[in-house]
Amino acid sequence: MRLHNIHYATLVLSAVAGYCDTVTFVAGDTIFSAHVTGNFIVFAYQVIKGGDIQAWIKLITFPVFIIAVMCGGWLSKKSAEKERLLLTEVLLLLTVGILAYFYPESNNKGIMYLYVMIVVFALGLQNAFGKLFSKATYGPTTVMTGNVTQASLDIRNLLIHKTIDQVSLISLKKQAIAITGFLTGCVLGALCGKEFGLKAILAAAGALLLCYFTESRSNK
């Protein structure tokens, strides 16, 4: 049961991160919400292309992310239940989805940036969750670079050994869960972000809420 829960948590959290990252990029002025350092690249590109003041707003994601991670550390100290971080993330994403439904971001750029920053904060909590409770998942769920690196090393080990390396095979399967979840989330995020805008964040809140209930039930 415990192994099944880690499988599920890794898949869902990775999918949520990929989904939110892509929705905010598509519907939120090309801002990454999970992989915030990617905003540095977009910012630099827009500056050399003659971008206006709005390009500088992307840099705000960095302090927002840092504050979110610090708050995640504080929340984990206040309660030993790791699910509290996930519940807080759910509430933030739910807030964005509901607000975007009643007050669409297309009507006001300022509102759009506010919604995006809340999503950045929420994903900052998920980043903190991955660091503080590393055994809850198979690896990072918000940025896939490390997982792809490990998967590549595992593939190499499997190719050079004459017999199946069980350790590498198991590790590869674990990384595949996170990478597949993230990629699936990205594709769905692109489609939903284009169609529904930031209202699409509601779907991520729903998926994460199911993950929260699953984690809570498994720890009782």
Side-chain angles (χ1 to χ4, degrees), residues 187-202:
V187 173
L188 292 176
L191 295 172
C192 294
K194 181 180 179 181
E195 183 69 23
F196 304 108
L198 292 178
K199 294 189 291 293
I201 293 294
L202 278 172

Side-chain angles (χ1 to χ4, degrees), residues 4-19:
H4 172 75
N5 288 337
I6 297 177
H7 273 54
Y8 180 72
T10 301
L11 182 65
V12 173
L13 289 175
S14 297
V16 166
Y19 182 88

Side-chain angles (χ1 to χ4, degrees), residues 108-123:
N108 189 302
K109 277 274 188 179
I111 290 177
M112 179 199 69
Y113 288 126
L114 174 62
Y115 294 166
V116 171
M117 293 305 164
I118 296 174
V119 178
V120 170
F121 193 96
L123 270 295

